[in-house]
Amino acid sequence: MTAPGDYQKKNLKHIGPFLMSYATNKMEYFIQAKKTQKKFSKIFSQKENPTKRIFNMLKMVFPESKINLANEYGKKYSPFVIRIHELGKSIPVHKDHVGYEGKEYSISNIDYQLSCVLHLQESEHGGDLVIYNKNWKKTDEKYRKIEFGYSSKVVTSEKSCKISNLEPGDLVLINPIQYHEVTMIQGPTPRITLGMFLGFSNNEKKIISWA
Amino acid sequence: MTDIIWGNGSQVLTKDSFVLNVTHRKNGNKENYSDSEKIKITSADLPGFPHNQQEWAPETLQECIKDAFLKCEVDRREEGTLLAKVSHSGVGGY
């Protein structure tokens, strides 16, 4: 069974489970998701839960779609994960694709996936988002690193876009099938984000979210 | 300590064996491993692949290992084939 990878333990602090750490351990994922929902209720008891505002924004963009936290046989998925990236940490080149690595979960049947990241705090320097003009394909698995992500060789000579002026409160939506990375945090203030994914289906006017 | 090799799944040979194109080897492995090794699965932890051996089939194995990045914890070598616990190795993203 999969436990959260060593990469996650050593390099990132986070609040809340995320599905990819439980790719083959669905039962444990849902147990942790339930526990975390109580934690998040506590954290946001005095403040508006940010997912509410994010969902309201999405409703303006997709007025005909219903937006809900994903569930499977009545079990709710984890709503979001808060990630704390400290000095010296970076997130290597990777893609996010629940259809490939999350195939034991019902949400893997979606047609499109978006990554949705709310920036809560930025570091003084570094922590920039870089998106490459290249979609993941299965044969790229030969570039995989042992614990997480891909060798930078997978995006050699690809055009990229660096977003370095993000501020707290900014919401970033990207196609996570395109390779992306976060550059090294170079300031003493940690970069803190709240992340979730959004799933879209061709035949249903609904959007589901999960982390 | 168990020897560990990583690589991408290639040709499926039977319902529980396949060829691994080896890309990484653990520092400190006791044995040497070539760039292509035949693997017989003793246990599996792969997304979409049944835990119950009775349900294993070549088609399912093909779907789960072809090109996939895999971790093989080697138990022993028998007649050229490595007997190993096969699992996905971390993930390529969140």
Side-chain angles (χ1 to χ4, degrees), chain A residues 2 24 96 101 104 144 146, chain B residues 45 48 66 88-89 92-94:
Chain A
T2 307
T24 55
D96 308 302
E101 285 167 316
E104 298 200 352
R144 269 289 312 278
I146 286 175
Chain B
D45 182 21
K66 177 68 178 156
H88 66 100
S89 179
Y94 294 125

Side-chain angles (χ1 to χ4, degrees), chain A residues 58-127:
Chain A
L58 289 168
K59 276 176 192 164
M60 288 193 278
V61 182
F62 304 100
E64 293 180 1
S65 296
K66 283 185 178 176
I67 306 166
N68 287 305
L69 177 64
N71 76 82
E72 191 166 329
Y73 299 115
K75 289 178 180 151
K76 288 180 179 172
Y77 280 67
S78 176
F80 49 82
V81 57
I82 295 174
R83 290 199 167 93
I84 303 156
H85 306 153
E86 295 181 325
L87 179 68
K89 308 309 176 196
S90 61
I91 304 174
V93 174
H94 68 286
K95 58 86 177 78
D96 308 302
H97 189 359
V98 74
Y100 178 60
E101 285 167 316
K103 61 180 77 163
E104 298 200 352
Y105 293 79
S106 65
I107 56 168
S108 62
N109 293 325
I110 57 166
D111 294 305
Y112 308 102
Q113 178 178 353
L114 280 183
S115 163
C116 178
V117 175
L118 176 65
H119 287 248
L120 301 176
Q121 179 175 286
E122 292 302 300
S123 185
E124 290 80 359
H125 304 287

Side-chain angles (χ1 to χ4, degrees), chain A residues 1-2 8 12 18 20 24 83 91 94-96 100-101 103-104 138 141-142 144-150 197, chain B residues 6 8 23-25 45-49 51 62-69 85 88-94:
Chain A
M1 295 296 179
T2 307
Q8 310 296 348
L12 295 177
F18 48 101
M20 284 305 160
T24 55
R83 290 199 167 93
I91 304 174
H94 68 286
K95 58 86 177 78
D96 308 302
Y100 178 60
E101 285 167 316
K103 61 180 77 163
E104 298 200 352
K138 198 175 177 188
E141 289 301 291
K142 62 178 175 283
R144 269 289 312 278
K145 286 183 169 180
I146 286 175
E147 290 182 348
F148 180 87
Y150 296 79
F197 292 108
Chain B
W6 291 263
N8 299 95
T23 57
H24 299 71
R25 296 155 179 87
D45 182 21
L46 302 167
F49 195 64
H51 291 290
Q62 169 85 14
E63 199 175 305
C64 292
I65 65 99
K66 177 68 178 156
D67 294 327
F69 188 65
K85 177 186 172 188
H88 66 100
S89 179
V91 285
Y94 294 125

Side-chain angles (χ1 to χ4, degrees), chain A residues 5-63:
Chain A
D6 288 345
Y7 171 82
Q8 310 296 348
K9 286 180 200 163
K10 281 184 230 161
N11 293 282
L12 295 177
K13 292 179 178 173
H14 60 87
I15 305 170
F18 48 101
L19 189 148
M20 284 305 160
S21 276
Y22 300 89
T24 55
N25 195 351
K26 196 156 80 166
M27 191 183 290
E28 184 61 23
Y29 168 76
F30 283 115
I31 289 170
Q32 294 303 323
K34 194 173 181 181
K35 278 185 189 169
T36 308
Q37 278 158 17
K38 288 177 188 166
K39 197 182 284 179
F40 285 146
S41 299
K42 217 174 204 178
I43 291 173
F44 295 107
S45 62
Q46 303 295 320
K47 294 185 170 90
E48 183 187 36
N49 186 322
T51 51
K52 196 173 169 187
R53 192 178 287 191
I54 293 169
F55 282 12
N56 285 339
M57 185 278 295
L58 289 168
K59 276 176 192 164
M60 288 193 278
V61 182
F62 304 100

